[in-house]
Amino acid sequence: MKEFLREKDYLLETILNKGERVFLNESTIASAGADTVEVTDELTPEDKCVAVKAVKALPELPVCGVDIMIDREKGTNYVLELNSRPNIGGSLFPVVGKARNISKAIVDYYFPESICDNTKNEISKFYFNYESIVKFLKSGVVEEVVVPPMPSENSVIKKMTVSGKVQRVGFRKWVYDRAVDRRLNGYVKNLKNKNVFIVVAGDKERVQQFIDTIKEDTPKKMNVKTVDEEEWNKPVKMGFEIRNTSSHIKKVRKKLNAEKEKNKELVHQKKQTKKKLDSIEQSKSWRYTLPLRNVVKTFKRD
């Protein structure tokens, strides 16, 4: 920056005239301090065509950023480079111009069934566990994960509170199997009052079959007394799972964490004691008294 200013006959101590504008560097990269200007509306059909053709030259790129140098006076339009990991921050938060939600456009392109109707302020009813998918891909165990399609518009979401003999009899596992068989989404968990809470989402007809099965067709070792059924308005994660909220497991986990903390403290004390011992053994007084300690040891053995 100093070199750049010096070339323009400026120093850090230079006092600018009122209204004078001075650039600190010639970089056009936002991360280097450049101001981003959003110019999408200024692009001509020809400009866009050049960008599209450039991307098609590398068909293996799933997402691509195109750097173009345009000279309106000369009528030239040159592609400088293609980026496999484009920086979209400049368009999301431009210093000048209208912000563009590029990330939404990318997600909507790959998952068109999840596009919300903004005119109705509609919020997507379902979402994926993105972190678990990325975990598998990064581990190298799998090379590809196929995400199931979003439920159709005919889908419903219900929440149920089931009372009766439904804990410690395998009820949650049984519910899980029934939901997975019907390709439903949601979860089941135990409540502290010995009831069971269920959220289920999917095709309207399959959800109703699932609810009827719980009400009328449970195994003999289980006894469902009541099923309170209501609409559920929160988004649901794709897939069905058993959520473990057992108080016993919570107590065990809490005790385990306490033991871990104790162990950390003991390890810390051991390190401190070892450090003190090393310091004593390396001291001059310890070395000078070594003959005397040997004599004492001899007398003790005698």
Side-chain angles (χ1 to χ4, degrees):
M1 182 184 65
K2 291 180 180 179
E3 291 294 329
F4 181 78
L5 290 174
R6 193 176 293 114
E7 291 176 1
K8 310 294 181 183
D9 296 326
Y10 288 105
L11 299 174
L12 294 179
E13 294 78 13
T14 301
I15 298 176
L16 303 179
N17 297 323
K18 184 177 180 180
E20 184 179 5
R21 184 181 187 185
V22 176
F23 292 98
L24 300 181
N25 63 54
E26 58 185 354
S27 174
T28 58
I29 302 174
S31 59
D35 290 347
T36 55
V37 180
E38 222 293 324
V39 295
T40 300
D41 291 336
E42 298 179 21
L43 296 178
T44 66
E46 181 186 358
D47 298 332
K48 297 175 183 179
C49 182
V50 169
V52 171
K53 286 183 177 181
V55 175
K56 288 183 177 180
L58 297 175
E60 296 300 320
L61 284 181
V63 177
C64 184
V66 185
D67 288 357
I68 300 180
M69 184 70 73
I70 300 173
D71 190 326
R72 296 298 186 205
E73 294 182 0
K74 296 181 180 180
T76 57
N77 190 327
Y78 296 109
V79 174
L80 304 182
E81 66 178 15
L82 302 180
N83 299 288
S84 61
R85 297 177 64 185
N87 183 353
I88 62 176
S91 294
L92 287 170
F93 307 102
V95 176
V96 179
K98 178 183 177 181
R100 306 283 176 170
N101 196 347
I102 297 178
S103 49
K104 179 183 183 302
I106 293 174
V107 173
D108 287 348
Y109 177 80
Y110 285 105
F111 302 98
E113 68 277 9
S114 68
I115 297 176
C116 300
D117 186 350
N118 293 327
T119 60
K120 301 178 181 179
N121 293 321
E122 180 185 331
I123 299 175
S124 179
K125 297 178 181 179
F126 302 93
Y127 66 95
F128 298 105
N129 189 342
Y130 175 77
E131 292 182 352
S132 65
I133 294 174
V134 172
K135 183 179 180 181
F136 276 113
L137 292 172
K138 287 185 175 180
S139 68
V141 176
V142 298
E143 294 182 352
E144 181 182 19
V145 175
V146 179
V147 179
M150 288 282 190
S152 64
E153 295 181 357
N154 193 37
S155 62
V156 295
I157 306 178
K158 299 282 188 177
K159 68 174 181 179
M160 295 177 286
T161 302
V162 184
S163 67
K165 187 180 180 182
V166 289
Q167 288 197 20
R168 297 188 178 183
V169 289
F171 181 71
R172 286 181 303 163
K173 178 62 170 61
W174 179 82
V175 168
Y176 171 85
D177 292 339
R178 304 288 85 70
V180 171
D181 287 345
R182 291 174 172 81
R183 297 192 297 278
L184 298 176
N185 308 284
Y187 63 87
V188 56
K189 70 175 183 179
N190 284 342
L191 299 178
K192 291 183 179 180
N193 60 4
K194 296 185 179 182
N195 292 339
V196 171
F197 183 76
I198 303 172
V199 172
V200 61
D203 178 79
K204 184 176 181 180
E205 184 176 346
R206 293 176 182 173
V207 168
Q208 190 57 52
Q209 291 174 356
F210 172 81
I211 296 174
D212 292 341
T213 300
I214 291 176
K215 290 180 178 179
E216 305 169 2
D217 197 22
T218 53
K220 292 182 179 180
K221 62 179 180 179
M222 307 168 193
N223 182 18
V224 173
K225 290 185 177 179
T226 62
V227 177
D228 295 330
E229 178 186 336
E230 295 181 44
E231 298 292 329
W232 180 258
N233 298 319
K234 298 179 181 179
V236 176
K237 183 169 66 177
M238 292 290 291
F240 201 89
E241 63 182 347
I242 298 174
R243 294 189 179 179
N244 203 332
T245 57
S246 170
S247 59
H248 174 69
I249 291 180
K250 285 185 177 180
K251 289 179 181 178
V252 172
R253 186 177 290 115
K254 186 176 180 180
K255 186 176 180 181
L256 177 61
N257 291 334
E259 292 297 327
K260 286 182 178 179
E261 291 299 322
K262 288 182 181 179
N263 186 53
K264 286 182 181 179
E265 181 62 27
L266 289 173
V267 170
H268 176 71
Q269 291 179 7
K270 181 181 178 181
K271 289 182 179 179
Q272 293 298 319
T273 303
K274 180 68 167 56
K275 188 176 180 180
K276 290 180 181 178
L277 180 60
D278 292 341
S279 178
I280 293 173
E281 291 179 344
Q282 293 173 9
S283 65
K284 292 181 180 180
S285 59
W286 181 265
R287 294 198 301 270
Y288 292 158
T289 58
L290 178 59
L292 179 59
R293 295 199 305 276
N294 289 337
V295 171
V296 172
K297 288 181 181 178
T298 302
F299 277 111
K300 285 183 176 180
R301 284 197 298 268
D302 295 340

